[in-house]
Amino acid sequence: MSTLAVFGGKPVREQLFAAYNTIGEEEIKAVTETLRTGVLSKYLGCWHEDFFGGPKVQEFEKMWAEKNQAKYAISVNSNTSGLVAALGAAGIQPGDEVIVSPYTMSASAISCVFWGGIPVFADIDENTFCMSPATIAAKITSHTKAILVVHIFGHPCDMDPIMELAKKHNLVVIEDCAQAPFGKYKGRFVGTLGHMGVFSLNYHKHIHTGEGGVITTNHDFYAEKCQLIRNHAEAVADAKGVTDYTNLYGFNFRFPEIEAAMGIEQLKKVDYLLDTRIKNAEFLEKELRSIKYLDTCKAAEDVKHCYYIQVMKYFSEKNGGLPRKKYLKALSAELPSSYMREKDPLVGGGYVKPLYLQGIYQNKKIHFHGRNPEDYKYNKGLCPVAETMHEKQLISHEFMRSSMSQNDLIQVVEAFYKIDKNMDEIIQRQNEL
C-alpha cells in the first residue's frame, strides 16, 4: 500500500488543528460589564455631544488611533461601510473613475459604485500580489479621482511611488487594510500612508468584534466627512456648520458599545497575535523554500507583513506538469482542517476569481453615467497576472495562525516534504486523483 494518504496510506496528522479563536475571558467580562450599564449604543443622529457615540466607542477609537499613530480613528460597522464612507469623503461623483485591484474581496471594488464611481482594474504585482505603481499609472485618465490600494494577504503595497503618482495627478488614495492591521511600510503604519485607511474587525481577521471596521486618517476634512457619513450626515450638517454638502447622505454605519468593549480587549492582544503569525510564517517560508516547484514568496525587506493568509506560487512545469489542483489534493489528505471549520481545508488554490469576471461586470450592470460602457473592458485577459495566480500558480494556507503550536508547524513541514518525496508516484497515478 502507498504511504500517501490520498492513496490509502496514513496521513501525517489525523487530529484536527485547534480553531483560531481570539475571544477569551477578558472579552466576556468587558461585554458583561457593558451590558450591565444598559448603554448599548449612545449615538444620536443630530449635532449633539452623543453624535460621536458612547464611552466605549470613543475609548476604542482613541486606542486605535494611538496605536496606529494616526490623528483620527472612526469606527464603523464593517470594512465595507468604511470603504463606502471613505470614498464618499473623497468626493467620488457619478462618472468618476477609481483604480482598484482585481484580486481582493469584492467590496474593495464595488464600494465606489455606491457614489456612482466606475471601477477601473489595474493588474497585480507577481511578487507582492498588490497593485504596482506601474500598473496603476497605466490606468490613470482625466476621469480618475481616486486610487483604492489593497494590502492584500497582509503585504503592504509599494506606497511611496503610489503617493507620488497621486500627488502628480491630484488623486485621493484610500488604503484597504482589512488584511493588514498594524502592518508597516518603511517603518510607517499602513492606514496612515494614504489619505485614509480602512480596517476590518470581521470574525476571521487577526482581531475581531464579530463584525466591525475602523477608518484612520490624519486629515481633519476627511475625518469630519467620514464621521458625518457614518451617522445621518444630512440631519447633522446644518447644525454643525458644514459648508461642503458633497456626498452628505444619511447612512447608519455606527459601531455599538458591546463591539467596542470587545475591541478594546482585542487591541491589548494584537501585538502577540501578530508577532506569532509573523514568526510562524517565517518558519514555514524558511523550511519550505528548498522545494523546487514552490516559490515561498518571502516578504519584501522594507515591510511588516501581517499574514492574513500565507501564500506561495506553484509551478507545475517544474513538477512534471502535475496540475495544482492534484498537488493540493495529495497535500490536503495529509493534513486535516480545524475545529469549527471541518469542511474547509486550511490550504487551497488561488484566492478569489478576478473581480471583473463577476457577472455584475461581465453584464455591465453598474452605471456608467453617460460614458460609453464599451470604453470599460472587463474581458478575460484584462489582468493577466491576477488570472495566472488564480487559475494556475497561487497556493494559500492558514497554517501560520497564532493558534498553531511548534509541533503543528513541524507536522505541516513534514506533510509538504512527504508529498515531495513521493512525487513520482503522484505523477504516475495522477489520473486517480
Side-chain angles (χ1 to χ4, degrees), residues 7 25 53 61 86 89 104 133 156 160 169 251 288 314 319 323 333 363 409:
F7 296 130
E25 292 301 317
E61 290 178 343
T104 177
D160 282 351
H169 296 280
F251 292 100
L288 299 177
Y314 171 75
N319 195 26
N363 292 285
L409 296 175

Side-chain angles (χ1 to χ4, degrees), residues 122-126 128-138 157-158 161-162 165:
D123 208 355
I124 60 173
D125 177 79
E126 64 180 4
T128 68
F129 312 104
C130 303
M131 291 188 299
S132 71
T135 60
I136 292 170
C157 298
D158 189 5
I162 292 173
L165 277 172

Side-chain angles (χ1 to χ4, degrees), residues 98 100-114 117-121 353-368 373-374 376-380 382:
V98 179
V100 297
S101 171
Y103 211 45
T104 177
M105 195 270 180
S106 62
S108 303
I110 206 68
S111 51
C112 72
V113 176
F114 283 82
I118 302 172
V120 174
F121 294 96
K353 180 170 66 175
L355 298 183
Y356 54 84
L357 297 178
Q358 292 179 340
I360 193 169
Y361 300 107
Q362 291 294 297
N363 292 285
K364 300 290 179 75
K365 292 300 182 181
I366 63 172
H367 294 292
F368 294 92
E374 295 307 311
Y376 296 91
K377 304 297 183 183
Y378 297 131
N379 54 289
K380 188 79 183 292
L382 177 64

